[in-house]
Amino acid sequence: MTVIRFNAGHGRGKKYNRGGIKFNEGDENYNFTGLLLEKLSSYDVDAKELRHSKGNGEFERDWDTIRNWGSGADLFYSAHSNAFNGQATGVEVFLSYKSIKYYNFAKELTEVISKTLGIYNRGVKFQNRNTGSYETYSQANSSKNDWLNELYLNKAKCVVLVEHFFHDNINDTNSYLKNRDKLANEIVKVIAKHFNLKLRNSVKEKNNSNKNNLAKVTVSALNVRKEPNDKSKIVTVVKKNEVYTITDVKGNWGKLKSGTGWIYLPMTDFSNYPVDLTNSIGLYKFKTDTNIRYNPSTRSNVKRVAIKNSMVSITEIKNGWAKISNKDEWFWLKLATQIKEFNVDLKTDTNIREKASINSKIVDRFIKAKSTKIIEIKNGWGLINSKKGWIWLGLTSLKK
């Protein structure tokens, strides 16, 4: 199997802005590399990124993998964007002298990036370790050494460092943002062509279930995994616009009716998530299809789209943004309407308390499987219809 390793250049946050007009270079390198991996997931390839997020929020190199700089990899792709004086423009690819036989691959990369973004093609470059000077293909040979350690120390068969555009040039930046998804598709096509990648076998299934349990794939290719986690074995791949029936939901993962495996639901239009009322401060229904973002900001990437009339429980409100219960997901609260009364089923025998507190006096008890109407929410507690008292909503499930 072909092995590809990506290095998203630099790190996370403002200290890695590097002159970026609309984003920090390090952050966007990481995001774009993730997009490339998403596109590659439809191919039978071992592709990974060599940075991961630590608990402190910084991106760190995966030193266990990167220690030998691309050892065992067919392709090592270092993703960057460029900066100079705000006027410089274009794409350029640095190719390792050791990888000179892959010149046509590097050359085609510059051509498709230039064409897709409508920017100047600065070509394929080599940089001499002894002099620091740039060299062209006609001047290069495999006996020379690379200026950059990332290329010089690298043990992959093909090593490229790609400066996709200039992030301090407003025209380059706007073109990139407008064509970002198309650019990823075109780059992956070039990689697939030169490294002979084969498409994975897909899975088809008929579905005749309730439309609320259907999930339409919204990305070009989506892995189906044996278990509901991103470390589990990839069984196969499903494609954009294919529709599947979901029979079980665990976190953000949905089980396919066919039994083939699990898919990551934020990469689909699925909206029938179980509503978690634990610690809820309110239940809401979306007035329109609504972007669900990773962070409370319009600058944050869209994680998924919640469809009109689907419901969600929230646990926090910040500057007009609402956080979805037990998820690192946010949406603009004005795009939803609060549901002030709703019915729940009891998942277990449940105490009814005089006030919305675990320390409050028990006034009665509900038996498991009983249903009741909630007319008010307060910090995860629900006031029952009779106004007899409060129950802990984490012990209930929303009755739809």
Side-chain angles (χ1 to χ4, degrees):
M1 181 182 290
T2 301
V3 176
I4 299 176
R5 294 293 178 260
F6 289 94
N7 175 41
H10 309 296
R12 182 180 183 180
K14 291 183 178 180
K15 66 180 179 181
Y16 297 106
N17 175 267
R18 302 176 65 82
I21 296 175
K22 293 194 173 183
F23 45 72
N24 302 315
E25 185 198 345
D27 292 341
E28 188 53 33
N29 290 339
Y30 188 79
N31 293 336
F32 186 66
T33 300
L35 187 57
L36 291 173
L37 286 172
E38 176 191 306
K39 306 297 185 184
L40 277 168
S41 66
S42 60
Y43 292 90
D44 191 15
V45 60
D46 176 2
K48 294 180 180 177
E49 205 283 320
L50 299 182
R51 280 190 342 192
H52 58 268
S53 183
K54 294 288 189 181
N56 62 3
E58 285 290 326
F59 289 132
E60 302 289 348
R61 296 194 184 283
D62 184 346
W63 289 110
D64 290 337
T65 305
I66 208 170
R67 197 179 304 279
N68 292 312
W69 288 98
S71 179
D74 296 285
L75 170 62
F76 187 98
Y77 188 114
S78 187
H80 291 258
S81 54
N82 220 334
F84 184 56
N85 61 0
Q87 301 301 314
T89 180
V91 52
E92 57 190 13
V93 172
F94 288 89
L95 179 65
S96 172
Y97 288 106
K98 299 185 295 292
S99 309
I100 194 168
K101 69 178 183 179
Y102 290 93
Y103 173 76
N104 287 335
F105 163 65
K107 180 173 179 288
E108 190 168 349
L109 273 181
T110 65
E111 291 169 348
V112 299
I113 295 171
S114 171
K115 181 179 179 180
T116 303
L117 299 185
I119 59 177
Y120 179 63
N121 185 352
R122 303 169 72 91
V124 179
K125 297 181 179 180
F126 301 82
Q127 191 173 14
N128 192 300
R129 192 169 188 84
N130 294 329
T131 64
S133 60
Y134 298 122
E135 297 182 351
T136 63
Y137 176 65
S138 62
Q139 299 169 305
N141 65 71
S142 59
S143 66
K144 295 182 178 181
N145 292 321
D146 298 292
W147 174 265
L148 296 171
N149 278 337
E150 190 164 357
L151 278 64
Y152 173 62
L153 299 174
N154 214 297
K155 297 182 179 179
K157 293 177 183 177
C158 176
V159 185
V160 291
L161 187 150
V162 184
E163 301 277 13
H164 296 93
F165 62 98
F166 278 78
H167 57 247
D168 64 345
N169 180 307
I170 189 62
N171 293 325
D172 274 26
T173 299
N174 285 340
S175 181
Y176 165 75
L177 292 173
K178 180 180 178 181
N179 298 289
R180 186 172 175 270
D181 190 76
K182 181 180 179 182
L183 178 64
N185 281 326
E186 294 304 315
I187 289 173
V188 166
K189 287 179 185 177
V190 176
I191 293 173
K193 171 184 172 182
H194 286 268
F195 289 87
N196 298 312
L197 303 186
K198 306 298 181 185
L199 289 168
R200 297 181 191 269
N201 292 326
S202 190
V203 60
K204 305 289 184 181
E205 69 173 40
K206 294 180 180 179
N207 58 72
N208 51 11
S209 302
N210 187 313
K211 64 180 181 180
N212 290 330
N213 295 325
L214 300 182
K216 182 178 180 180
V217 180
T218 56
V219 294
S220 59
L222 179 59
N223 291 329
V224 180
R225 295 186 182 270
K226 186 175 181 181
E227 302 294 338
N229 65 77
D230 60 7
K231 304 297 182 185
S232 182
K233 179 181 177 182
I234 297 173
V235 179
T236 186
V237 173
V238 293
K239 301 299 180 66
K240 187 171 185 177
N241 294 327
E242 292 178 351
V243 179
Y244 297 92
T245 302
I246 303 302
T247 58
D248 190 15
V249 176
K250 290 186 178 180
N252 281 322
W253 294 86
K255 187 175 183 179
L256 298 182
K257 181 181 178 182
S258 64
T260 306
W262 299 74
I263 59 174
Y264 189 58
L265 294 173
M267 299 299 183
T268 73
D269 68 351
F270 185 79
S271 64
N272 195 29
Y273 290 90
V275 177
D276 189 348
L277 294 169
T278 306
N279 297 318
S280 177
I281 62 171
L283 181 68
Y284 287 79
K285 178 184 286 189
F286 291 108
K287 295 186 284 188
T288 184
D289 291 354
T290 301
N291 289 332
I292 306 298
R293 299 181 183 271
Y294 287 94
N295 295 297
S297 168
T298 54
R299 291 190 173 186
S300 179
N301 288 336
V302 175
K303 185 175 183 180
R304 61 183 177 91
V305 177
I307 66 171
K308 181 179 179 180
N309 292 328
S310 60
M311 290 190 289
V312 67
S313 168
I314 69 169
T315 56
E316 182 182 349
I317 298 174
K318 181 188 293 186
N319 299 324
W321 292 86
K323 186 177 183 182
I324 297 176
S325 299
N326 286 335
K327 293 179 182 291
D328 290 326
E329 298 180 340
W330 297 78
F331 66 92
W332 185 242
L333 191 55
K334 287 185 178 180
L335 298 178
T337 301
Q338 186 172 12
I339 306 299
K340 295 186 178 180
E341 296 185 1
F342 54 93
N343 294 314
V344 296
D345 292 324
L346 282 302
K347 295 187 288 186
T348 185
D349 293 353
T350 304
N351 291 327
I352 303 173
R353 296 185 181 271
E354 187 176 34
K355 297 179 181 180
S357 170
I358 190 67
N359 298 317
S360 181
K361 178 182 176 181
I362 297 173
V363 296
D364 205 343
R365 187 170 176 82
F366 270 144
I367 304 301
K368 179 182 177 181
K370 183 178 177 63
S371 297
T372 189
K373 179 180 283 189
I374 301 299
I375 59 174
E376 183 182 345
I377 293 179
K378 183 184 293 184
N379 298 323
W381 293 84
L383 179 63
I384 61 177
N385 189 39
S386 64
K387 296 187 179 181
K388 187 175 185 178
W390 298 76
I391 59 173
W392 179 243
L393 292 174
L395 302 176
T396 72
S397 59
L398 181 66
K399 189 170 185 177
K400 296 184 178 180

